[in-house]
């Protein structure tokens, strides 16, 4: 049985915030991108990340760094990336003391929004059942085998691992929120190296004309952006000609031209700018030159899919709905419905 050996020393160089952003990681990233359309951009992306991380000041950084540094070195017998509960290791790969140590360390990275994951028999039951979204998305998109993919706003990387599990050639994720990025670094230490990398970047920080990716996922991001059309234009420049956009976002049940611009908060979220109808989104994509824009899924979010758990102990969807009418948010807007829209880049 593999036991936790000891905490690794913190090897972070002065000025670098996470020891994973080191030379070995750079080489792995460059090598993975070789022979893909990403290759000409790796240098630029890596330096952008370095410059950004060198400037970061966040009160929780010491805790996050300590957490990553204290994660045990486990030799795990197997992992499974092609399953709803992403699994690293088996219960017998560590003893209960080691599992408790893992639990305590990973809880320091609370709140866990996306999952589930299972590490040596310990389940990270995140706020969202991200596997339910994947089930609504995957049957409708081009098979991922052999594709170069980008997941914008990938959180802790849940869907990047799923993409690799589905056979992608290489999955790049970008995520500007540093706690989610730190969760990715922690998970990667447990899952080991795979054909994927997450970079702590926002979509706006990517070059406009990469024209590199076979598939770009933008899931749960559009309504957070003040200029959603600019985001769709950005994605058009990231996809190779004929590449596939997979857009998942909040929508309203309406027709062409219908769009909700919430006054103040929506479901208690401060940063929801616009919620269009599916027709509206399809039309916008068509006007931007995408072809075959089509809605492949339209689902009301339930309190079983988004809920408080031991790994996300704060309020969740049921606290954001009108207690007398769950078809409405507490502000009186239509309750969250999410759609998946697929289209091909010109
Ligand atoms: C609601 S979460 C969705 C996470 C995941 N994609 C999913 O579908 O479950 C939105 C994510 O987008 C990220 N995000 C927000 N603005 C972004 C931007 N400009 N570029 C890239 N990601 C962004 C947030 O940090 C957050 O992780």
């Amino acid at each position: 049985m593999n036991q936790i050996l000891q905490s690794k020393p913190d090897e972070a160089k002065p000025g670098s915030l996470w020891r994973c952003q080191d030379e070995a990681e750079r080489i792995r990233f460059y090598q993975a991108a070789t022979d893909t359309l990403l290759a000409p951009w790796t240098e630029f992306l890596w330096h952008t990340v370095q410059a950004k991380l060198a400037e970061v000041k966040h009160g929780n950084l010491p805790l996050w760094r300590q957490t990553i540094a204290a994660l045990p070195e486990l030799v795990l017998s197997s992992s499974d990336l092609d399953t709803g509960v992403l699994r690293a290791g088996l219960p017998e790969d560590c003893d209960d003391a080691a599992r408790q140590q893992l639990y305590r360390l990973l809880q320091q990275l609370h709140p866990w929004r996306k999952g589930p994951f299972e590490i040596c028999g310990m389940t990270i039951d995140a706020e969202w059942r991200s596997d339910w979204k994947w089930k609504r998305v995957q049957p409708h998109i081009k098979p991922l085998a052999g594709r170069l993919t980008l997941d914008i706003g990938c959180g802790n990387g849940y869907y990047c691992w799923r993409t690799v599990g589905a056979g992608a050639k290489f999955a790049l994720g970008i995520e500007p929120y540093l706690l989610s990025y730190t969760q990715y670094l922690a998970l990667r230490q447990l899952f080991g190296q795979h054909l994927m990398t997450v970079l702590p970047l926002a979509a706006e920080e990517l070059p406009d004309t990469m024209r590199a990716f076979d598939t770009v996922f933008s899931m749960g991001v559009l309504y957070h952006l003040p200029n959603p059309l600019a985001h769709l234009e950005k994605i058009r420049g990231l996809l190779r000609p004929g590449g596939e956009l997979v857009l998942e976002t909040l929508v309203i049940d309406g027709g062409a031209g219908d769009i909700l611009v919430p006054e103040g908060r929506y479901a208690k979220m401060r940063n929801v700018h616009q919620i269009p109808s599916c027709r509206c989104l399809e039309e916008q994509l068509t006007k931007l030159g995408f072809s075959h824009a089509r809605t492949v899924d339209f689902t009301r979010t339930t309190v079983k899919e988004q809920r408080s758990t031991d790994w996300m102990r704060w309020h969740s969807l049921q606290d954001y709905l009108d207690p007398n009418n769950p078809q409405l948010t507490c502000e009186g807007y239509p309750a969250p419905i999410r759609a998946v829209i697929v289209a091909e880049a010109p």
Side-chain angles (χ1 to χ4, degrees), residues 1-154:
M1 187 186 296
N2 302 300
Q3 298 294 317
I4 289 181
L5 301 175
Q6 58 180 52
S7 298
K8 291 183 195 168
D10 186 352
E11 295 153 1
K13 288 175 259 160
S16 112
L17 299 165
W18 291 273
R19 66 182 166 164
C20 314
Q21 294 297 335
D22 61 12
E23 184 60 11
E25 170 71 359
R26 185 184 71 77
I27 290 168
R28 269 195 297 271
F29 175 49
Y30 283 32
Q31 280 174 347
T34 311
D35 296 333
T36 75
L37 290 174
L38 195 53
W41 305 99
T42 46
E43 191 81 12
F44 171 85
L45 292 173
W46 190 260
H47 287 293
T48 306
V49 168
Q50 295 306 304
K52 188 172 178 182
L53 289 182
E55 294 299 313
V56 168
K57 292 181 181 58
H58 191 294
N60 284 337
L61 276 182
L63 174 71
W64 296 344
R65 273 188 62 188
Q66 276 166 23
T67 303
I68 298 284
L71 278 174
E73 299 225 42
L74 295 169
V75 180
L76 302 181
S77 49
S78 64
S79 62
D80 191 354
L81 304 183
D82 194 18
T83 176
V85 184
L86 286 169
R87 182 179 65 75
L90 293 167
E92 55 269 31
D93 289 341
C94 72
D95 61 19
D96 285 344
R99 228 181 325 274
Q100 277 165 21
Q101 187 191 0
L102 263 181
Y103 176 86
R104 186 183 58 74
L105 287 167
L106 294 177
Q107 278 281 350
Q108 289 182 176
L109 303 180
H110 176 273
W112 287 77
R113 302 276 181 193
K114 310 298 168 184
F117 299 91
E118 187 190 305
I119 319 285
C120 300
M122 179 192 73
T123 302
I124 301 179
D125 186 16
E127 177 186 20
W128 281 89
R129 289 298 305 262
S130 307
D131 49 328
W132 293 12
K133 184 188 290 192
W134 193 243
K135 274 193 186 150
R136 298 196 292 268
V137 167
Q138 199 185 10
H140 304 290
I141 64 176
K142 298 219 167 93
L144 291 164
R147 288 173 90 85
L148 175 64
T149 67
L150 171 68
D151 185 4
I152 298 175
C154 68

Side-chain angles (χ1 to χ4, degrees), residues 125-342:
D125 186 16
E127 177 186 20
W128 281 89
R129 289 298 305 262
S130 307
D131 49 328
W132 293 12
K133 184 188 290 192
W134 193 243
K135 274 193 186 150
R136 298 196 292 268
V137 167
Q138 199 185 10
H140 304 290
I141 64 176
K142 298 219 167 93
L144 291 164
R147 288 173 90 85
L148 175 64
T149 67
L150 171 68
D151 185 4
I152 298 175
C154 68
N156 59 28
Y158 177 89
Y159 296 113
C160 292
W161 270 293
R162 295 299 307 262
T163 305
V164 172
K169 184 179 197 178
F170 184 68
L172 179 65
I174 56 167
E175 173 52 56
Y177 185 52
L178 292 176
L179 173 58
S180 301
Y181 175 65
T182 308
Q183 290 176 354
Y184 158 72
L185 295 178
L187 290 168
R188 192 194 56 187
Q189 207 154 304
L190 298 161
F191 276 86
Q193 294 300 324
H194 289 280
L195 295 169
M196 59 177 276
T197 296
V198 172
L199 299 176
L201 297 174
E204 303 75 48
E205 293 172 290
L206 297 183
D208 282 336
T209 53
M210 290 178 79
R211 307 249 49 187
F213 297 97
D214 299 308
T215 303
V216 172
F217 296 95
S218 169
M219 305 199 290
V221 178
L222 197 69
Y223 49 88
H224 287 314
L225 303 175
N227 190 345
L229 278 179
H231 181 69
L232 299 176
E233 270 184 305
K234 182 83 188 189
I235 293 173
R236 188 183 58 191
L238 296 171
L239 282 163
R240 66 154 169 82
E244 188 170 65
L245 161 66
V246 182
L247 179 67
E248 193 268 357
T249 189
L250 284 175
V251 293
I252 51 168
D253 190 1
D258 288 340
I259 187 159
L260 168 67
V261 180
E263 236 178 86
R265 297 186 183 208
Y266 173 85
K268 292 205 179 156
M269 289 182 278
R270 281 197 202 91
N271 57 351
V272 175
H273 295 273
Q274 301 184 5
I275 309 181
S277 67
C278 295
R279 268 308 290 130
C280 212
L281 279 170
E282 290 168 10
E283 190 53 35
Q284 284 173 338
L285 287 169
T286 304
K287 287 201 168 114
L288 288 171
F290 286 88
S291 53
H292 306 117
R294 60 217 183 264
T295 301
V296 297
D297 187 80
F298 180 88
T299 300
R300 186 175 292 280
T301 308
T302 69
V303 294
K304 290 189 171 154
E305 182 171 355
Q306 185 191 9
R307 75 276 192 256
S308 307
T309 68
D310 187 31
W311 291 84
M312 207 301 289
R313 298 183 298 277
W314 300 338
H315 284 179
S316 189
L317 181 59
Q318 75 171 9
D319 308 294
Y320 308 150
L321 299 177
D322 179 339
N324 301 313
N325 181 1
Q327 305 287 308
L328 298 177
T329 68
C330 51
E331 301 88 1
Y333 294 118
I337 300 173
R338 309 184 75 94
V340 181
I341 292 150
V342 179

